[in-house]
């Protein structure tokens, strides 16, 4: 199921868009706090963003630029400011399409469907996994956090991938070892401990302290 993230301050428009998106079988989520758009983007890890320009606190151009620091997720601008200057600026800032307000919901869903098909059917962009403001890009095996990008080793990437896919749930050490080494053969548990310690040090280096929690006797958890 594709996930669509809507950044819109007009309650009536937001409600109509979310309901229409849901009717297509996609998962829609509206940004709840317009001062914390990036945290909500990272936590939801959407496949596509619908972004208004005229927002309180920070405009849509700002949030587009912030998203582009971390992600190639497609962005469609929605705005009543549909003069040529704003359309050109939206595209130059990293937008993929622009729909002027007021718009027809069927036109919106057709644009979303076309952009999702172009983006994901042909592998132009990779899915994202996120938590706590950190975003794991499964296409290039990197983790981004607050404008920093961490290149991950194979084992570091696999550990984070499994933990983020099971975010909020404890992953056992046995499960992690099977995922890392893809074998039923015995692997010394100390090898996992060493790999986990190394990953935690690297995460702390970019400010992600206590990102991975230990559940004693059970395994590891990203909340």
């Amino acid at each position: 199921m594709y996930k669509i993230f809507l950044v819109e301050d007009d309650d009536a428009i937001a409600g109509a868009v979310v309901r229409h998106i849901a009717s297509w079988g996609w998962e829609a989520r509206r940004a709840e706090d317009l001062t914390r758009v990036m945290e909500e983007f990272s936590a939801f890890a959407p496949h596509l963003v619908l972004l208004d320009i005229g927002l309180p606190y920070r405009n849509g151009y700002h949030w587009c630029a912030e998203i582009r620091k971390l992600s190639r997720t497609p962005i469609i601008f929605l705005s009543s400011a549909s003069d040529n200057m704003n359309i050109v600026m939206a595209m130059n800032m990293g937008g993929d399409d622009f729909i002027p307000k007021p718009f027809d919901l069927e036109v919106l869903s057709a644009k979303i469907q076309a952009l999702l098909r172009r983006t994901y059917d042909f592998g132009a962009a990779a899915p994202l996994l996120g938590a706590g403001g950190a975003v794991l890009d499964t296409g290039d095996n990197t983790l981004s956090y607050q404008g920093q990008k961490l290149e991950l080793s194979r084992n570091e990437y696999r550990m984070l991938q499994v933990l983020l896919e099971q975010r909020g749930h404890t992953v056992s050490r046995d499960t992690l070892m099977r995922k890392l080494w893809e074998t039923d053969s015995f692997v010394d548990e100390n090898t996992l401990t060493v790999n986990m310690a190394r990953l935690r040090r690297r995460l702390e280096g970019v400010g992600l302290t206590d990102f991975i929690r230990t559940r004693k006797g059970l395994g590891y958890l990203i909340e």
Side-chain angles (χ1 to χ4, degrees), residues 37-39 41-42 51 58-71 75 93 135 144 146-147:
V37 170
M38 289 309 299
E39 287 89 338
F41 169 84
S42 298
L51 182 59
R58 302 276 190 169
N59 65 30
Y61 297 133
H62 168 82
W63 295 120
C64 180
E66 291 300 300
I67 290 170
R68 282 291 170 261
K69 290 178 183 177
L70 303 178
S71 166
I75 296 171
M93 292 296 293
V135 177
S144 299
Q146 294 185 347

Side-chain angles (χ1 to χ4, degrees), residues 48-95:
L48 184 143
V49 177
L50 300 175
L51 182 59
D52 189 15
I53 294 176
L55 298 167
Y57 311 112
R58 302 276 190 169
N59 65 30
Y61 297 133
H62 168 82
W63 295 120
C64 180
E66 291 300 300
I67 290 170
R68 282 291 170 261
K69 290 178 183 177
L70 303 178
S71 166
R72 301 188 301 274
T73 300
I75 296 171
I76 298 177
F77 277 95
L78 310 174
S79 179
S80 55
S82 56
D83 56 277
N84 287 343
M85 184 182 73
N86 276 292
I87 294 173
V88 170
M89 185 175 294
M91 298 300 102
N92 287 340
M93 292 296 293

Side-chain angles (χ1 to χ4, degrees), residues 24 26 105-115 117:
W24 272 79
W26 301 320
L105 288 171
E106 294 300 331
V107 171
L108 174 65
S109 54
K111 291 262 194 179
I112 292 173
Q113 192 172 38
L115 188 50
R117 186 169 57 247

Side-chain angles (χ1 to χ4, degrees), residues 21-33:
I21 288 172
S23 74
W24 272 79
W26 301 320
E27 182 180 355
R29 182 178 298 181
R30 179 190 181 187
E32 295 179 0
D33 184 346

Side-chain angles (χ1 to χ4, degrees), residues 132-150:
V135 177
L136 180 70
D137 189 324
T138 62
D140 62 6
N141 295 11
T142 61
L143 184 80
S144 299
Y145 181 67
Q146 294 185 347
Q148 304 172 85
K149 183 169 280 193
L150 195 61

